[in-house]
Amino acid sequence: MSRSILLTGGRVVDPSQSMDERADVLIVGERVEAVGARVAGDAAHREGMETIDCSGLVVSPGFIDVHCHLREPGREEVETIASGARAAAAGGFTAVCAMPNTDPVTDNQAAVGFILRQGAIADAARVYPIGAISVGQRGEALAEFGEMVAAGAVAVSDDGKPVVSAHLMRTALEYARTFGIPVADHCEEPTLATGGAMNEGLISARLGLKGIPAEAEEIMAIRDILLARRTGGHIHLCHMSTRGSVELIRWGKDRNINVTAEVCPHHISLTEDAVEGYDTNAKMNPPLRTADDVAALQEAVRDGTIDLIATDHAPHHYDEKEREFADAPNGIIGLETALAVNITWLVAPGIIDVPLLIERMSCAPARVFKLPGGSLRRGALADVTVFDPDAKWLVEPKRFRSKGRNTPYAGQTLQGRTRCTIVGGRVAYRADA
Amino acid sequence: MTHALGKDLLGLEPLSGEQIKLILDTAEPFKEISERAIKKVPTLRGATIVNLFFEASTRTRVSFEFAEKRLSADTVNVAASGSSVSKGETLVDTARNLEAMRIDMVVIRHGASGAAQFLAERIESNVINAGDGTHEHPTQGLLDLLTLRDHFKRLAGVKVCIVGDVLHSRVARSNIWGLTKMGAEVAVCGPRSLLPNAINEMGVTVFNRVEEAIEWADALNILRLQLERMHAGYIPSLREYNRVFGVSRERLDRAKRDILILHPGPMNRGVEIDSDVADGPFSVILDQVTNGVAVRMAILYLLSGGKPELAESAKKGGGDR
């Protein structure tokens, strides 16, 4: 008889079927068997069934992070697929998409297969590979999308670097369309952004740091929205950070252009003020922007201009961040803080409610990247996240499953915590009682 | 120990007007030491100071070294070539090594903005910023203030225009903060491509034309134009820069009054400043250099715990510190 898990008494929130009610969820094998008020009674006779009390907690389709950097192969001292997948599960993610800027670059079918195998061995959150747009992410020749997709890649991206050539991006959008995958776009106009260390503005002028203007992102965003219009390809704009980008995405969506967009938790919670004192944990690309940008991004998450929230989880060794600001690498870790940051800055202030949070962290990522999950319907893959939306906790990086410690939230008390993460009917993470 | 300035001198932005005035006032009695035949007092005897220069510098390094030696400190110069990241030891390791050697003070010049603060947060020793990237150069700002005060007998209400590459200038930032805190009126003038976009939010007036700046100002602080700015495409040519923004005798002669001329050096004669201006009657460029030693002596004295009111007697005997 198949293994079974019964989640009892939780608030089951599943936007994919407009469900938000107190109910039980029965998982048999790797699938959802039943969801409803009387499920517990009907299931009581099942042998060896594990029961998890979810009263006071939210039971949700598992979160999916379409944008993280797991550093393997190449920088295993910083993160591995296994440590990243465990960190993901601890953060409530049942699946993550691994960006291809590894060393060597994930730009061929063998490399894609390696990521999948390491993910399977990790046996935590599912790991879906994203293949490179260009060979070696050098921005010259297209990588072999067809073979990579056949091997299991779910999207293509040169993330970490912009696709400088408009022609290459156009071709990538057309070619990706053949295989029905999105092109995940790192929007950065390099001649404006190169050498920049933070948002361009008064603070960069005061601190004597080279600024990255909002236009460096916006120029590429509109270029690629226009190329999506030309080609019919699916452009997915990564880590949007400015009000101007939001307006451009809105413009594109109003015209039914095939554009989707993501925002990172740090861009809806922090401003460039965090850079004061040259804190390298506030250094990321795109940089933290202004309060006005944060407000625009929060509103865009609410109204759907921004489709989904993704972490851009970017672990770095502490030595790399413990240095002069301009020389420190970009990026922060996010898998284990994303839920709490989103609840603290979006749900707690009433900008969005819990069902919309789950839409942006689970249903939309599944839909946009055409991944399994994002639903608790009967027969769906049993990828489930149980979280406490009210729990307050202190961020202590040393307790993270990720090897990374680089977070600007260290020492802050945030609201919202994962209690249990179930991947394919198996418990991948359970918080200590 | 008094902590009139705190542990470190990282910039003028974090200082109050009172603290800046204290440094300038403390510098006054130290000026005289450099005029003596035997230019040495025992004030910092036994103190060890490292001059840690990650960027080439002659003027600032020599000025600090004289200030330290005239106060009888034991000094070591470390010229670390290149960025700490590109080769060899990291800045944090450098900091730990200095700490292990029980250094009293570190004077740091570094190409990265924030490097002085980075060091100050990691060691117990006093840290003096001798220029960090394009952030601040507080001792230069202070010696500029002292030179202006010597001439005008006040700073409040004095109109100072900073001319040139404000975008990349740590001297400009320290001048803007120091002057505004002391009540001076501050303007900047330069090609818009070499002014920060947010310059209007920094409490200064902006002149597009150097003629307007000259008409307005009591003093011009003329910044060095780095040759590499032209290669990086910020300006088309040094020749055009001189023709549009160069401070020339002819332009100054059109002003209704005498205008004091400052330059932090080293000068590009014939680019941002013409020789007859640099060498002219209203140039105080060499007074700045002289004042630099006194200002740095004052800072070393105050950070080491010297009491401002005893600065006068400090230069006679051992002093109290």
Side-chain angles (χ1 to χ4, degrees):
Chain A
M1 184 167 197
S2 292
R3 190 178 65 241
S4 53
I5 298 174
L6 181 66
L7 305 171
T8 60
R11 173 185 171 193
V12 178
V13 182
D14 179 5
S16 79
Q17 46 184 330
S18 303
M19 181 180 210
D20 182 357
E21 62 195 50
R22 198 181 162 86
D24 307 318
V25 177
L26 176 63
I27 296 162
V28 176
E30 62 173 17
R31 303 261 158 203
V32 175
E33 176 73 19
V35 180
R38 287 194 301 277
V39 168
D42 297 346
H45 63 281
R46 299 186 77 92
E47 270 177 61
M49 183 177 69
E50 183 182 0
T51 301
I52 298 174
D53 178 12
C54 296
S55 46
L57 306 177
V58 174
V59 179
S60 150
F63 304 147
I64 298 169
D65 184 12
V66 299
H67 190 145
C68 66
H69 300 273
L70 300 184
R71 304 298 187 214
E72 183 181 353
R75 294 300 306 276
E76 291 82 357
E77 79 280 14
V78 172
E79 192 82 288
T80 62
I81 290 170
S83 64
R86 284 195 295 272
F93 292 97
T94 54
V96 297
C97 298
M99 279 294 177
N101 60 337
T102 46
D103 183 13
V105 171
T106 309
D107 62 0
N108 61 78
Q109 57 181 340
V112 167
F114 172 79
I115 308 286
L116 280 174
R117 272 197 308 285
Q118 294 297 87
I121 293 166
D123 195 24
R126 299 173 197 277
V127 178
Y128 296 112
I130 294 175
I133 291 171
S134 64
V135 175
Q137 292 193 314
R138 284 192 294 273
E140 294 159 6
L142 273 189
E144 291 162 337
F145 295 3
E147 288 187 345
M148 291 195 292
V149 169
V154 297
V156 288
S157 181
D158 272 0
D159 185 62
K161 292 178 186 174
V163 174
V164 177
S165 158
H167 170 73
L168 181 68
M169 179 53 88
R170 176 210 166 125
T171 314
L173 281 163
E174 288 169 332
Y175 196 56
R177 199 178 163 192
T178 317
F179 305 102
I181 53 168
V183 175
D185 189 10
H186 173 109
C187 294
E188 179 180 352
E189 206 295 307
T191 63
L192 286 174
T194 299
M198 67 170 296
N199 183 49
E200 180 177 315
L202 178 59
I203 296 180
S204 69
R206 279 181 38 238
L207 295 179
L209 293 171
K210 187 168 192 298
I212 302 173
E215 288 75 10
E217 174 174 301
E218 293 156 2
I219 285 167
M220 282 306 222
I222 192 59
R223 183 197 79 173
D224 294 343
I225 290 169
L226 293 172
L227 291 174
R229 179 175 70 176
R230 167 60 48 187
T231 61
H234 174 187
I235 193 81
H236 175 74
L237 303 175
C238 297
H239 43 53
M240 291 288 98
S241 73
T242 76
R243 176 180 287 279
S245 293
V246 168
E247 289 169 359
L248 295 169
I249 296 160
R250 208 168 270 143
W251 181 90
K253 289 190 167 185
D254 284 349
R255 282 155 187 77
N256 294 316
I257 297 170
N258 196 358
V259 54
T260 56
E262 74 189 31
V263 70
C264 303
H266 43 273
H267 288 127
I268 53 92
S269 57
L270 303 176
T271 67
E272 58 180 347
D273 292 353
V275 177
E276 292 276 7
Y278 301 95
D279 181 358
T280 58
N281 281 328
K283 183 178 179 185
M284 60 278 286
N285 187 19
L288 297 174
R289 303 285 188 182
T290 67
D292 180 62
D293 294 305
V294 170
L297 292 163
Q298 290 178 337
E299 169 60 18
V301 170
R302 193 194 63 74
D303 73 15
T305 305
I306 297 280
D307 297 81
L308 61 94
I309 305 174
T311 67
D312 198 6
H313 177 80
H316 291 289
H317 197 269
Y318 76 88
D319 278 349
E320 298 175 297
K321 281 286 195 181
E322 181 78 351
R323 65 167 60 148
E324 303 88 315
F325 193 89
D327 297 329
N330 287 306
I332 61 166
I333 54 173
L335 288 169
E336 290 167 88
T337 49
L339 172 65
V341 170
N342 295 340
I343 289 179
T344 305
W345 274 276
L346 293 174
V347 178
I351 295 164
I352 65 172
D353 57 12
V354 167
L356 194 52
L357 173 76
I358 293 169
E359 159 66 20
R360 300 283 181 255
M361 291 186 72
S362 174
C363 310
R367 207 167 50 239
V368 169
F369 275 58
K370 303 189 182 78
L371 302 172
S375 176
L376 295 178
R377 285 175 194 275
R378 181 184 159 86
L381 205 54
D383 286 6
V384 185
T385 300
V386 180
F387 65 95
D388 183 340
D390 302 314
K392 299 216 161 98
W393 60 287
L394 178 69
V395 179
E396 294 174 283
K398 66 175 191 288
R399 301 174 76 94
F400 286 154
R401 266 76 176 169
S402 169
K403 290 189 181 186
R405 298 288 177 264
N406 47 311
T407 172
Y409 303 104
Q412 295 193 37
T413 297
L414 304 182
Q415 181 182 334
R417 193 153 209 198
T418 308
R419 289 295 171 209
C420 182
T421 308
I422 296 169
V423 178
R426 293 179 50 173
V427 175
Y429 169 80
R430 188 177 298 184
D432 310 330
Chain B
M1 295 274 284
T2 58
H3 291 280
L5 299 182
K7 181 173 90 68
D8 312 298
L9 179 72
L10 303 179
L12 298 190
E13 190 184 5
L15 295 189
S16 66
E18 290 74 40
Q19 287 173 311
I20 291 170
K21 181 171 185 300
L22 175 75
I23 298 169
L24 300 181
D25 291 348
T26 307
E28 288 295 340
F30 284 117
K31 282 181 183 171
E32 184 261 338
I33 295 169
S34 298
E35 305 303 326
R36 298 180 188 173
I38 298 173
K39 301 175 176 60
K40 207 171 182 86
V41 294
T43 311
L44 289 185
R45 194 163 53 200
T48 47
I49 303 177
V50 174
N51 298 315
L52 186 60
F53 277 66
F54 290 92
E55 274 186 346
S57 159
T58 305
R59 186 180 315 244
T60 303
R61 187 181 55 73
V62 169
S63 178
F64 265 107
E65 203 176 342
F66 274 131
E68 293 154 2
K69 292 202 155 117
R70 286 173 191 177
L71 292 172
S72 301
D74 294 319
T75 69
V76 177
N77 292 324
V78 179
S81 59
S83 138
S84 63
V85 172
S86 60
K87 44 189 125 178
E89 193 172 66
T90 63
L91 189 54
V92 68
D93 281 335
T94 304
R96 287 180 187 143
N97 278 285
L98 292 173
E99 189 76 341
M101 285 185 270
R102 309 289 183 257
I103 304 298
D104 294 300
M105 291 191 183
V106 180
V107 176
I108 179 174
R109 155 73 60 96
H110 197 289
S113 299
Q117 180 173 346
F118 181 94
L119 189 69
E121 287 168 355
R122 282 159 183 81
I123 63 176
E124 295 287 315
S125 322
N126 308 109
V127 173
I128 299 171
N129 182 4
D132 63 325
T134 55
H135 175 226
E136 283 225 43
H137 191 350
T139 57
Q140 178 71 45
L142 288 163
L143 72 88
D144 292 345
L145 294 182
L146 186 63
T147 308
L148 287 163
R149 196 175 75 166
D150 284 350
H151 185 85
F152 293 104
K153 310 303 172 201
R154 64 188 162 89
L155 287 169
V158 175
K159 293 176 175 173
V160 182
C161 184
I162 302 161
V163 183
D165 180 6
V166 175
L167 182 64
H168 299 98
S169 174
R170 51 198 174 206
V171 175
R173 284 168 182 71
S174 289
N175 263 270
I176 289 171
W177 305 130
L179 288 165
T180 50
K181 283 166 197 281
M182 297 307 288
E185 290 184 50
V186 186
V188 298
C189 174
R192 285 285 178 163
S193 53
L194 288 175
L195 301 180
N197 220 268
I199 189 70
N200 291 321
E201 298 168 61
M202 294 174 84
V204 301
T205 305
V206 180
F207 292 114
N208 286 322
R209 301 185 54 77
V210 74
E211 291 83 357
E212 295 167 358
I214 288 169
E215 190 164 324
W216 173 86
D218 298 319
L220 299 180
N221 196 346
I222 304 163
L223 302 173
R224 173 181 171 80
L225 187 81
Q226 309 269 6
L227 192 62
E228 65 241 42
R229 304 301 169 223
M230 186 181 79
H231 298 309
Y234 288 97
I235 53 164
S237 67
L238 296 182
R239 194 188 62 82
E240 172 159 303
Y241 184 86
N242 177 255
R243 287 176 62 95
V244 180
F245 292 99
V247 178
S248 64
R249 184 75 265 152
E250 189 195 0
R251 283 190 166 127
L252 288 176
D253 283 345
R254 275 194 236 118
K256 297 179 194 74
R257 53 199 159 156
D258 301 332
I259 296 173
L260 206 67
I261 300 297
L262 293 87
H263 191 300
M267 289 185 281
N268 292 311
R269 290 171 179 261
V271 181
E272 72 269 7
I273 186 167
D274 285 358
S275 284
D276 50 2
V277 174
D279 304 329
F282 303 107
S283 166
V284 288
I285 294 169
L286 294 175
D287 298 334
Q288 291 174 270
V289 178
T290 308
N291 278 339
V293 178
V295 155
R296 291 177 176 118
M297 288 170 82
I299 290 159
L300 293 164
Y301 173 75
L302 290 170
L303 286 181
S304 75
K307 293 189 169 60
E309 64 274 18
L310 297 176
E312 185 64 36
S313 61
K315 66 183 193 181
K316 298 191 185 84
D320 179 11
R321 62 175 189 96

